[in-house]
Amino acid sequence: MRVVIAGGHGQIALRLTKLLAGGGHEVVGLVRNPAHETDVAAAGGQVAVLDLEQADAGSVAKVLSGADVAIFAAGAGAGSGNARKDTVDRGAAALFADHTGAGKVTRDDVAAVLAGLCETPAAIGRTLELIAGDTPVADALHQL
């Protein structure tokens, strides 16, 4: 599985990279500072350098191309002001989420998923994106 982690140099992201790479997954740590490449590589990941505060949707989509999983672990940090929290914690997160992919889904599938989620405790507190696919709804919900 190919996993792209925004904020790839963060403490959680580095630990996650080590776990995923150790499990045989391809991990790409998305960082804004090229000097962080050594730390990401030491954890077993590859690096994509991209500043999400300055990037456009096309650049983000290019990094996410071929990803099976996209994880947003970036953050402005505790010492950042409100402006930076807005550009990273809100803006960059929204940009990252907008190009994880889009697809079609029928209204019947939406209704079936919503009904199933009502009986799926593993979905509590999670944000899910829904697109059509080959996996039956019940199986996909069970995999949560």
Side-chain angles (χ1 to χ4, degrees):
M1 170 175 18
R2 177 177 155 82
V3 180
V4 177
I5 305 172
H9 188 253
Q11 295 304 307
I12 291 172
L14 289 171
R15 286 170 172 80
L16 178 58
T17 297
K18 185 178 270 188
L19 290 171
L20 290 170
H25 300 289
E26 176 187 358
V27 181
V28 178
L30 181 58
V31 300
R32 65 183 167 96
N33 184 343
H36 295 157
E37 183 171 356
T38 305
D39 294 332
V40 175
Q46 303 168 26
V47 172
V49 178
L50 183 66
D51 184 345
L52 290 174
E53 289 180 277
Q54 306 300 319
D56 61 18
S59 300
V60 176
K62 186 175 178 182
V63 172
L64 291 173
S65 178
D68 298 297
V69 176
I71 298 171
F72 189 84
S80 299
N82 288 337
R84 183 124 198 279
K85 287 183 189 304
D86 183 58
T87 60
V88 176
D89 297 351
R90 186 206 52 80
L95 178 65
F96 194 74
D98 286 343
H99 295 281
T100 55
K104 296 183 179 189
V105 62
T106 67
R107 288 184 173 109
D108 286 338
D109 281 349
V110 172
V113 169
L114 291 172
L117 288 172
C118 291
E119 298 179 15
T120 306
I124 295 171
R126 296 176 71 179
T127 300
L128 307 170
E129 291 190 25
L130 174 63
I131 58 172
D134 296 330
T135 306
V137 170
D139 292 348
L141 293 172
H142 180 72
Q143 292 174 16
L144 290 176

